[in-house]
Amino acid sequence: MPNPFLSLNYEQAIESLGPEYYDRVEAARFPQQKLRFRNDKLLPVLGQNPESVKDDDFIEAFGLFESINPLLALRYHGYQFGYYNPNLGDGRGFLYGQIRGIDHVLYDLGTKGSGQTPYSRNGDGRLTLKGGVREVIAAEALFAMGVNTSRCLSLIETGESLWRGDEPSPTRSSVMVRLTRSHVRFGTFERLHYFQRPDLIEKLLVHVIENYYPELAKEKDAFSLFYAELVKRTAQLAAQWMSAGFCHGVLNTDNMSITGESFDYGPYAFISTFNPNFTAAYFDSTGRYSYGNQPDICHLNLEMLQVPLGLVIPKTELQNGLLHFESHYYETYSSLMLGKLGLEQNIKTDELVQKTRDLLLETQIGYHEFFDLLAKEFNMSWLEDSSNILENTGFPQAGIWQDWRIIYHHFLQQLPLSSRKMIKAKLVGNNPSNVPVRPLIESIWQDISEKDDWNKFNELIKSLQGRS
Ligand code: AMP
Ligand code: MG
């Protein structure tokens, strides 16, 4: 059987835009290729039966980089921690190919850790194995929690020794392949503004709308409608991160997708307790990208995107588009938090969501443990008497716990009979018990780094994928 990755019906959407947007590059040659992860859940999207795709097919395509496409390092700039950086671009990855899924959606296959490019600056173009493992875990966990995220198609260990300031070194190397809606970033547009090229901005906008917002393509004011829709998708994404208890860590404009999808997981963390000031990146000394700042930063990044888009879209239309950010954010956030509490999405319960946040903040009980406990402990007696709620868990029957029980009880009681039967299923469905907080990831990595034991990693992935 021929390698399916070498005979897929790739589309040249980016390439056909012309050479202003990318550079042709070659992949590094690695001393070794060991397939550590293949995402069989994604193969059907590409029209492939997992059983007929061999491990060697992954190695050939995504370790040795046999390809029927030109490999393209995409050009972009971006605001990093608030400062404009014109020395960016795909420095350790490239676009391997673009393929239309069986859902008719155009996807990018992009690499991370595949070698140096014109944008590597002083970097080695490599990805640590730990970095690859962490990105696979983030994406699968976020997907299981309903977040609009890219996912990893494969992770191959490549047999090199890397030196990093933030990992005990030497450390192992890998190359990862990501399946995502698009690698066009806010920073892709910012670069074109830097070079004052409204023509290229317009061309890229047409491309983005045709491929990722096709329902708008025929509208007369498609450009401003696109921006309004991006505002909506980005606000929804921020709400998804917040309810999932996820801190991306590095929300620079080059890490913001033009499709509103979450991607590029570096020093991220799932929060342990509800703490808006929590920062995931050790180098984020001012807390710019803290957990609680994420909605504001997304808003700010969208506002900054108005600068390049303003070269071709009237400024007032852009400003109007951004006005709806907050309402989109709160609508999504409330409905997701209600889901985590096992309640109906259409109940108006801002008060309950706020009281739950107060409880989580004041008690500093584990964020994920709290919702997991609700899912595990829930029984119908909670609807009879508020003091039955979490009664076996040792939490006080007074103070903030009791205040919260009373209001939660009140909202549980308001549910119509038909919805009461669904509370448990909602609680279980919306609250995974295996959220990969840092100690879990570190213990997975310890087994890999000390014993080359991948069992815990494989078990976590299996249980996360079992939920979706
Ligand atoms: P990131 O923090 O992964 O979003 O990367 C920010 C920028 O640094 C991007 O332009 C990357 O391509 C580049 N970069 C990060 N790590 C490396 C590396 N090891 N070698 C070359 N470029 C890198
Ligand atoms: Mg990045």
Side-chain angles (χ1 to χ4, degrees):
M1 283 284 282
N3 184 337
F5 298 122
L6 302 186
S7 52
L8 287 174
N9 203 2
Y10 291 102
E11 294 187 18
Q12 271 68 40
I14 287 277
E15 196 196 355
S16 65
L17 285 174
E20 298 277 2
Y21 299 88
Y22 54 78
D23 294 78
R24 288 188 68 149
V25 291
E26 282 182 21
R29 287 174 193 279
F30 297 106
Q32 181 193 78
Q33 289 83 22
K34 278 194 182 156
L35 184 64
R36 296 303 194 180
F37 171 69
R38 50 179 279 171
N39 201 335
D40 283 356
K41 294 277 178 190
L42 296 180
L43 292 174
V45 182
L46 303 178
Q48 300 302 313
N49 175 357
E51 277 163 31
S52 52
V53 182
K54 302 185 293 295
D55 287 0
D56 279 350
D57 296 333
F58 281 92
I59 301 266
E60 191 182 20
F62 308 131
L64 298 167
F65 290 105
E66 289 297 321
S67 167
I68 52 172
N69 300 307
L71 308 174
L72 309 178
L74 303 181
R75 299 177 179 181
Y76 57 84
H77 293 173
Y79 283 93
Q80 298 192 301
F81 288 87
Y83 296 97
Y84 195 74
N85 187 350
N87 294 307
L88 287 175
D90 277 343
R92 55 167 161 174
F94 49 69
L95 182 65
Y96 180 89
Q98 295 181 285
I99 165 90
R100 204 158 289 275
I102 50 164
D103 48 7
H104 305 294
V105 164
L106 183 67
Y107 291 98
D108 280 7
L109 289 178
T111 66
K112 191 169 182 178
S114 48
Q116 290 171 312
T117 76
Y119 307 102
S120 299
R121 291 169 287 166
N122 301 318
D124 57 9
R126 304 305 201 260
L127 172 67
T128 67
L129 182 61
K130 186 179 184 185
V133 162
R134 280 176 46 83
E135 178 145 349
V136 171
I137 291 174
E140 291 310 297
L142 289 172
F143 183 76
M145 296 167 91
V147 175
N148 178 18
T149 180
S150 69
R151 292 172 80 185
C152 301
L153 180 62
S154 65
L155 181 68
I156 293 173
E157 183 168 0
T158 46
E160 294 179 321
S161 293
L162 306 180
W163 295 85
R164 290 289 185 275
D166 53 1
E167 279 184 43
S169 296
T171 187
R172 292 151 73 176
S173 65
S174 70
V175 64
M176 187 260 286
V177 172
R178 179 194 286 149
L179 184 81
T180 179
R181 291 302 310 278
S182 168
H183 283 87
V184 176
R185 306 144 195 263
F186 289 18
T188 313
F189 284 94
E190 285 165 342
R191 173 180 164 275
L192 299 172
H193 174 264
Y194 182 86
F195 292 119
Q196 285 294 307
R197 293 297 300 268
D199 55 327
L200 297 182
I201 289 181
E202 186 159 347
K203 197 168 175 186
L204 187 59
L205 266 177
V206 170
H207 160 87
V208 164
I209 292 167
E210 264 175 13
N211 287 294
Y212 311 113
Y213 298 79
E215 66 286 359
L216 304 179
K218 292 210 162 63
E219 301 288 336
K220 137 171 121 334
D221 43 359
F223 285 1
S224 42
L225 288 174
F226 145 75
Y227 179 73
E229 179 61 23
L230 175 64
V231 166
K232 182 175 173 187
R233 292 190 194 179
T234 306
Q236 289 173 337
L237 176 62
Q240 291 167 358
W241 284 334
M242 294 305 287
S243 69
F246 181 75
C247 181
H248 180 286
V250 192
L251 292 178
N252 293 330
T253 57
D254 51 300
N255 287 340
M256 301 283 297
S257 166
I258 207 69
T259 69
E261 189 187 56
S262 172
F263 81 122
D264 209 354
Y265 304 117
Y268 74 87
F270 287 91
I271 54 171
S272 53
T273 62
F274 185 68
N275 171 13
N277 296 324
F278 172 81
T279 50
Y282 69 91
F283 45 86
D284 186 2
S285 50
T286 62
R288 181 182 177 90
Y289 299 137
S290 66
Y291 167 68
N293 256 3
Q294 295 183 115
D296 283 353
I297 283 293
C298 287
H299 185 279
L300 178 67
N301 287 341
L302 284 162
E303 193 176 336
M304 292 201 293
L305 183 63
Q306 291 184 6
V307 175
L309 297 186
L311 290 182
V312 296
I313 307 176
K315 294 220 169 45
T316 49
E317 290 180 21
L318 292 168
Q319 284 157 1
N320 287 339
L322 190 56
L323 289 179
H324 303 289
F325 181 93
E326 261 183 59
S327 58
H328 291 311
Y329 174 78
Y330 282 110
E331 196 176 309
T332 307
Y333 181 72
S334 307
S335 114
L336 291 171
M337 292 305 283
L338 284 183
K340 284 178 84 66
L341 290 162
L343 293 171
E344 291 281 288
Q345 314 279 322
N346 54 5
I347 298 185
K348 189 90 190 89
T349 52
D350 292 349
E351 196 191 351
L352 175 61
V353 172
Q354 189 51 48
K355 279 272 191 284
T356 305
R357 287 163 59 93
D358 294 346
L359 177 83
L360 292 168
L361 186 64
E362 192 171 316
T363 62
Q364 286 293 291
I365 180 182
Y367 183 81
H368 306 287
E369 281 89 339
F370 172 75
F371 291 104
D372 188 33
L373 264 182
L374 289 185
K376 293 211 166 94
E377 297 284 318
F378 176 82
N379 61 72
M380 287 312 238
S381 78
W382 292 16
L383 285 100
E384 287 154 25
D385 186 339
S386 66
S387 58
N388 292 338
I389 298 177
L390 293 177
E391 63 171 342
N392 301 321
T393 43
F395 300 125
Q397 287 287 349
I400 190 162
W401 273 106
Q402 199 54 17
D403 295 348
W404 178 80
R405 280 190 185 91
I406 289 167
I407 184 164
Y408 187 39
H409 175 246
H410 171 73
F411 282 105
L412 286 174
Q413 271 197 325
Q414 286 194 356
L415 288 178
L417 279 182
S418 57
S419 308
R420 293 181 182 191
K421 283 189 243 138
M422 301 305 295
I423 300 172
K424 180 93 175 175
K426 270 185 195 266
L427 284 168
V428 172
N430 291 324
N431 299 304
S433 55
N434 49 2
V435 176
V437 290
R438 277 188 174 156
L440 174 56
I441 298 183
E442 287 303 313
S443 87
I444 288 171
W445 176 247
Q446 198 176 351
D447 279 9
I448 296 171
S449 70
E450 289 175 7
K451 300 180 274 184
D452 207 25
D453 177 350
W454 290 76
N455 283 324
K456 271 194 203 156
F457 171 78
N458 291 329
E459 274 164 26
L460 174 68
I461 297 299
K462 203 170 142 199
S463 70
L464 290 169
Q465 292 190 337
R467 293 184 60 88
S468 47

